[in-house]
Amino acid sequence: MTAIYLIRHAEAEGNLYRIAQGQHESGLTGRGWRQVQALERRFAGIHIDAVYASDLYRTRATATAICRSHGLPLHRCPGLREICVGDWEGRTWGDIARATPQAMADFGSRMDRWFIPGAETPAEVLARVRETVEGIARENPGKTLALFSHGYAIRLLLANLRGISLRDTGPQSPTGDNTAVSLLEWDGERLQVAFMNDNSHLKTPEYLAGEPSPRAKRAYALEPGLWFRPLESPDAAERLSAAWGSAGETGPVPAASLNLEGLLGEEPVGLLRAAPETGRIYLAYIRPGFRRRGLGIQLIGQAVRYTRARGGETLSAALRPGGPGEAYLRDCGFAPRGEEAGRTLWQKFIGFDPTI
């Protein structure tokens, strides 16, 4: 009997920033890296013969939980990739829900009829992933394997192996948590599900001790979140100035090349002013009535997107010591890195580890 641990990647930027990842590259979040550590503890006493992962960064990074601790090489396997979602890739779920609400609903609940130009169909993904997993099993008879893949792809496969149709996969087979572990068994002819979507390693005292404060709300699943547009309204300067003052700042708003307005539905709720060419964030503002709803982190997601597109690997912001924005930056993964003109300089690394 071949045992196959099928593992979803750790929390990635798209999960946190509410961006459709598909086959779009993204890194792990701080929480994601703690989930990797939790996986390493879980598998410390389990013998693994070989490790496979999709060739996307977020799965390769998650696979380090076993590769490095067990001294095993990583076999990159494009067949384990997430579904390609065509022109949805890299767009916010808020934008997608606004532009194509029926397709958005079908994506999570009616896989049998979901289709986007340029994307794979769920049926194509299921065929690809099942063929890949069975092929790996045939190549490793009697061994114990760890395979790292993605939420949607794993969801389709687990449902299929339990006899659930694409039409019914949505209501009958939910997506497992980030780093959820399923166990498949291969008898030489067919795959069976021994258990699925176990996340017990995320309930240990070691992991829970690192969970953020209740103020740092996280969004999950396909909650749409914000969509963004350039801030170009006639009163743009006035609104920027008002937000600047509301954030406790004085003097003129610094010049910057990126000015975005974040909207929840059709309601403007946030503003981002940043310089992607340097990675500097000058203003990341959420209106008071919309705070503590997991929306502010999505502004940072846009700063990451535009800065990374310019080749940048670091975001930064300068705040007065003890200012109200410090808790927000800390929740978003920034850390203090010295002083700049009497202010605390906060930084966040957004690059990819070249060793992974």
Side-chain angles (χ1 to χ4, degrees):
M1 185 74 70
T2 300
I4 301 172
Y5 288 101
L6 184 61
I7 306 163
R8 186 187 177 195
H9 64 76
E11 184 184 78
E13 293 169 338
N15 304 126
L16 182 58
Y17 301 152
R18 312 314 307 137
I19 292 172
Q21 297 178 109
Q23 297 183 5
H24 180 80
E25 285 287 29
S26 62
L28 298 187
T29 66
R31 170 183 273 179
W33 283 112
R34 289 194 301 102
Q35 292 171 345
V36 170
Q37 294 174 344
L39 270 180
E40 183 175 348
R41 289 191 293 268
R42 174 176 183 150
F43 281 91
I46 298 176
H47 175 77
I48 300 292
D49 292 295
V51 182
Y52 294 77
S54 104
D55 57 342
L56 298 177
Y57 183 86
R58 57 190 185 273
T59 45
R60 297 185 345 245
T62 308
T64 62
I66 295 178
C67 287
R68 292 180 176 175
S69 61
H70 288 62
L72 294 170
L74 176 64
H75 300 281
R76 299 188 185 189
C77 188
L80 295 174
R81 278 189 171 202
E82 183 61 292
I83 183 172
C84 171
V85 291
D87 70 1
W88 282 13
E89 300 214 353
R91 292 168 58 187
T92 68
W93 287 115
D95 179 35
I96 293 167
R98 178 174 177 269
T100 53
Q102 185 58 59
M104 175 78 170
D106 289 345
F107 186 69
S109 63
R110 283 296 302 272
M111 285 81 158
D112 59 311
R113 68 186 183 193
W114 181 82
F115 174 76
I116 289 293
E120 292 178 287
T121 66
E124 290 170 336
V125 176
L126 172 59
R128 164 170 61 80
V129 174
R130 181 159 185 165
E131 179 182 6
T132 298
V133 173
E134 290 181 348
I136 292 172
R138 290 190 185 96
E139 294 171 0
N140 294 275
K143 295 182 179 180
T144 300
L145 312 173
L147 275 59
F148 291 82
S149 188
H150 303 260
Y152 203 81
I154 292 173
R155 181 184 187 184
L156 292 171
L157 178 61
L158 292 176
N160 179 259
L161 293 177
R162 291 181 294 133
I164 300 172
S165 69
L166 280 176
R167 175 188 173 90
D168 296 328
T169 292
Q172 295 187 27
S173 186
T175 302
D177 292 337
N178 290 112
T179 68
V181 179
S182 300
L183 178 61
L184 309 181
E185 295 176 338
W186 170 259
D187 63 6
E189 295 183 0
R190 64 193 183 107
L191 287 168
Q192 292 186 344
V193 180
F195 66 76
M196 56 182 282
N197 294 333
D198 181 79
N199 67 349
S200 56
H201 54 286
L202 302 183
K203 299 177 181 179
T204 65
E206 296 95 330
Y207 177 77
L208 293 175
E211 279 293 83
S213 64
R215 60 166 280 117
K217 181 183 181 298
R218 302 293 183 99
Y220 292 96
L222 298 180
E223 296 176 16
L226 301 180
W227 63 279
F228 294 87
R229 67 185 179 192
L231 181 62
E232 297 175 338
S233 60
D235 62 345
E238 180 181 343
R239 292 170 61 196
L240 272 172
S241 180
W244 184 249
S246 181
E249 300 290 352
T250 58
V253 183
S257 60
L258 180 64
N259 294 281
L260 295 178
E261 179 176 43
L263 297 93
L264 189 62
E266 300 303 316
E267 180 77 11
V269 303
L271 297 174
L272 173 68
R273 189 171 179 85
E277 56 274 11
T278 63
R280 176 57 61 94
I281 297 174
Y282 295 106
L283 179 67
Y285 176 78
I286 294 291
R287 288 168 51 193
F290 294 90
R291 293 174 185 170
R292 300 192 180 185
R293 293 171 58 177
L295 302 176
I297 189 67
Q298 297 175 48
L299 300 177
I300 302 301
Q302 294 302 299
V304 170
R305 172 191 172 193
Y306 282 90
T307 299
R308 190 175 282 157
R310 295 287 194 98
E313 295 189 334
T314 304
L315 294 181
S316 65
L319 297 180
R320 293 191 308 275
E326 289 190 346
Y328 166 70
L329 289 180
R330 187 175 288 108
D331 287 344
C332 292
F334 287 74
R337 294 288 187 266
E339 295 186 0
E340 181 181 277
R343 294 183 169 223
T344 302
L345 181 66
W346 292 75
Q347 291 186 337
K348 175 182 176 69
F349 178 70
I350 62 170
F352 296 108
D353 185 341
T355 68
I356 291 174

